[in-house]
Amino acid sequence: MTTYVYGIANSSHPALPDGMEGIGKPACPVRILKQGELAAIVSDAPEDLKPKRRDLLAHQNVLSEAGAAGSVLPMRFGSLAPDDETVVSVLGERADHYTERLRTLDGKVEYNVKATHNEQAVLHQVLAENPELRAMVEANQRQGGGSQEQKLQLGEAVTSAVRAREASDAVEVRRALEPTAEAVADGPESTGWLANISFLVSRKSAEGFVAAVDELRTTQPHLELTVHGPLPPYSFVDPGPAGPAE
Amino acid sequence: MTVVPAQQSGGGGGSSGLYDVVELILDRGLVIDAFVRVSLVGIEILKVDVRVVVASVDTYLRFAEACNRLDLESGPKKDPGLPDLVGEITESGAKGKSKGALSGAAETISDAFKQSREEGQRQTEERPRARRSTTSRRKEEKE
């Protein structure tokens, strides 16, 4: 029977999600495997497991539940062991490493921040900063939009100005929030964001982090910031949390 | 006094939260070489309909259109959710640091996402979709 692994925690974790509904349909109940000081959060794995939305959610929910009450190392989605014995032996073989990671991450959570531009606001901003661009826009507007040639010229210049803003704003988001975090990791490349950055934040200083986000919203009103957290520390499970976990 | 953001995905983990963190679940987290991983072939990482600026003729035209519709005089003042940005051109190229806050972007993004899903995940559009301002959303909540 294949065993699905959600994450690794300390045996002493106060509230492991034993019996919670896990992946699969019907949901496989979550079980806890213990080996010395460590515990693995597992369940049976349905035959032919695929990354369906329901299962992704179940993975995230089980880890949220475990992470809410104590330190947990989240597995990447879809980790399958041939059986329970294999999981237990891995816990035994690498006990030192996992124990160290759990200790390091104890009391810390991940906040993921994604930033996009408010298009109207950023356009006003680049026009305010570039008199030439503004003059082009005014000229085009006077001519009811201008010729195709003029539109392309203007569009190219504006695109380049907005892209430059995207790059500098990504740096700004990181710079503004970094001081309130213990570690920073660039999120996976995904589309549609000018920044996708994860911050490792101590639970005790989460308020400070949230306040820094609010401050950034105030000082950079053309930025739209989405914050997700507290999350299990997906991006910080490996040593050297300054870089993405590979 | 700080309010922890409403868009928390701790504990219950709402589905809207999943869309925004799905890439973390699939691409980050502990990997143990003694285990196999489920094949992710065929998974479509759902793309949220958020614009990213790419250099292309389509983008140029889209931005030119957006600029043509821009009200240069009153500009952002029309939207009470946005602060006054620098209206007059200043020689220093002011950074436009002014007071005002845009919040609730999370909802906007999930809304946009839901819409884009309903529209069959169209990747491109002729013109930028106007986003509801925070202010209008607040009004709706009050009513």
Side-chain angles (χ1 to χ4, degrees), chain B residues 75-104:
Chain B
K77 291 174 195 164
K78 285 200 304 191
D79 182 347
L82 285 175
D84 284 358
L85 294 172
V86 187
E88 290 307 308
I89 298 160
T90 53
E91 282 179 42
S92 63
K95 284 272 189 290
K97 288 209 190 271
S98 35
K99 296 261 185 291
L102 258 184
S103 57

Side-chain angles (χ1 to χ4, degrees), chain A residues 112-135:
Chain A
N112 177 260
V113 176
K114 293 187 172 73
T116 57
H117 275 151
N118 174 292
E119 188 167 273
Q120 287 263 318
V122 81
L123 286 177
H124 276 287
Q125 200 156 44
V126 298
L127 294 188
E129 288 167 7
N130 298 276
E132 284 170 26
L133 270 191
R134 188 181 160 113

Side-chain angles (χ1 to χ4, degrees), chain A residues 4-6 23 51-64 74-79 110 112 114 187-188 196 198 231-235, chain B residues 9 13-31 37-38 40 43 45:
Chain A
Y4 184 91
V5 189
Y6 299 87
I23 56 164
K52 291 204 173 79
R53 190 173 162 276
R54 201 203 151 284
D55 292 329
L56 290 164
L57 255 181
H59 179 91
Q60 164 63 6
N61 284 344
V62 168
L63 285 165
S64 288
M75 298 293 299
R76 198 173 292 186
F77 177 85
S79 300
E110 175 166 340
N112 177 260
K114 293 187 172 73
N196 174 14
S198 280
L231 296 162
Y234 288 105
S235 307
Chain B
S9 42
S15 57
S16 62
L18 177 71
Y19 301 130
D20 287 325
V21 298
V22 70
E23 89 279 3
L24 296 174
I25 298 170
L26 293 169
D27 198 67
R28 293 291 184 266
L30 197 59
V31 174
R37 280 195 71 223
V38 168
L40 299 181
I43 185 166
I45 299 278

Side-chain angles (χ1 to χ4, degrees), chain B residues 45-102:
Chain B
I45 299 278
L46 300 161
K47 289 196 173 113
V48 181
D49 179 28
V50 187
R51 303 229 160 264
V52 67
V53 177
V54 245
S56 74
V57 169
D58 286 348
T59 311
Y60 298 165
L61 291 174
R62 189 171 68 75
F63 271 117
E65 281 303 323
C67 286
N68 282 332
R69 283 197 305 271
L70 216 53
D71 183 341
L72 291 176
E73 295 320 310
S74 57
K77 291 174 195 164
K78 285 200 304 191
D79 182 347
L82 285 175
D84 284 358
L85 294 172
V86 187
E88 290 307 308
I89 298 160
T90 53
E91 282 179 42
S92 63
K95 284 272 189 290
K97 288 209 190 271
S98 35
K99 296 261 185 291
L102 258 184

Side-chain angles (χ1 to χ4, degrees), chain A residues 51-193:
Chain A
K52 291 204 173 79
R53 190 173 162 276
R54 201 203 151 284
D55 292 329
L56 290 164
L57 255 181
H59 179 91
Q60 164 63 6
N61 284 344
V62 168
L63 285 165
S64 288
E65 195 66 28
S71 190
V72 64
L73 302 178
M75 298 293 299
R76 198 173 292 186
F77 177 85
S79 300
L80 296 167
D83 49 39
D84 287 10
E85 289 70 31
T86 310
V87 179
V88 169
S89 72
V90 165
L91 289 186
E93 284 162 24
R94 308 183 195 187
D96 290 352
H97 174 61
Y98 296 141
T99 309
E100 179 278 325
R101 284 284 85 201
L102 284 163
R103 202 172 31 242
T104 305
L105 295 169
D106 190 31
K108 299 185 182 104
V109 286
E110 175 166 340
Y111 280 86
N112 177 260
V113 176
K114 293 187 172 73
T116 57
H117 275 151
N118 174 292
E119 188 167 273
Q120 287 263 318
V122 81
L123 286 177
H124 276 287
Q125 200 156 44
V126 298
L127 294 188
E129 288 167 7
N130 298 276
E132 284 170 26
L133 270 191
R134 188 181 160 113
M136 280 168 92
V137 174
E138 284 172 340
N140 277 16
Q141 285 191 351
R142 277 195 302 271
Q143 298 170 51
S147 66
Q148 184 76 351
E149 184 71 18
Q150 286 167 316
K151 280 183 189 171
L152 282 174
Q153 256 181 342
L154 171 67
E156 185 171 9
V158 172
T159 299
S160 138
V162 171
R163 283 176 81 189
R165 274 314 296 219
E166 286 188 342
S168 62
D169 281 335
V171 173
E172 173 62 17
V173 169
R174 192 182 179 113
R175 192 200 58 75
L177 302 180
E178 211 160 14
T180 56
E182 312 252 339
V184 185
D186 286 320
E189 285 290 309
S190 59
T191 54
W193 323 100

